[in-house]
Amino acid sequence: MTAPGRGPTLRWVDEPWDAAAPGVLALPSGRLVRGRGLRAPLPPGPLPRFGVHLTGRPIGPLDWDGCWVRWPDFRLPRDPDDLRRALAEAWERAADERVEVACHGGTGRTGTALACLAVLDGVPPDDAVGFVRVRYRRRAVETRGQRRLVSGFLG
């Protein structure tokens, strides 16, 4: 693409996640997002370019860009608008960057956020938890409140 009076517009495109790697969720649009638990060692391979971290307290410095959503374990995010903003950015960036979503264990909060990303990607809200449980982790989205968050994410 060329802007008038300028040279070509270049955009950095990452090598995508390996779709078969553990924790990588393929959304219907083809975007790949990695979910993981922060307690586990960092998986081998390329680093994310952007991360959404869902924890009660900020985590230390990382080697990639990211944002923190204050979200205590087994609860809901303290500010749902922060979650919406973070996931909207993650969804946009996942089109051409490696994006990861992570909480301490990688199941409840991470699964909930991945289900919300699936909703953003066009999965019907009532189907999003099942979508993530089949394709990411069988026990993803651990609480009734987290399921309600997913079903009302766009509303």
Side-chain angles (χ1 to χ4, degrees):
M1 171 180 277
T2 304
R6 298 181 184 220
T9 302
L10 300 176
R11 186 168 181 178
W12 178 261
V13 177
D14 281 342
E15 173 187 332
W17 294 120
D18 174 355
V24 175
L25 175 69
L27 295 169
S29 66
R31 288 172 166 86
L32 301 173
V33 181
R34 181 173 75 185
R36 76 175 180 100
L38 295 167
R39 285 191 299 239
L42 189 64
L47 295 174
R49 180 77 59 173
F50 180 74
V52 177
H53 304 103
L54 314 163
T55 58
R57 288 182 238 155
I59 62 174
L62 300 167
D63 292 333
W64 54 86
D65 192 15
C67 62
W68 169 57
V69 175
R70 187 172 181 210
W71 191 340
D73 203 9
F74 293 104
R75 304 261 165 86
L76 296 175
R78 293 287 187 219
D79 185 343
D81 288 336
D82 281 349
L83 178 66
R84 284 185 192 90
R85 282 189 293 274
L87 294 180
E89 182 173 359
W91 185 83
E92 287 289 332
R93 292 179 75 157
D96 55 15
E97 295 180 53
R98 287 184 305 275
V99 171
E100 125 174 322
V101 176
C103 67
H104 289 297
T107 302
R109 293 168 285 182
T110 297
T112 303
L114 291 173
C116 290
L117 281 171
V119 170
L120 284 175
D121 204 62
V123 174
D126 291 340
D127 298 338
V129 171
F131 178 88
V132 170
R133 285 180 173 171
V134 167
R135 292 165 179 81
Y136 171 66
R137 283 193 185 171
R138 172 177 67 80
R139 291 180 39 240
V141 192
E142 295 173 310
T143 71
R144 191 173 319 149
Q146 290 171 346
R147 287 190 298 275
R148 279 193 309 267
L149 176 70
V150 172
S151 65
F153 188 66
L154 292 180

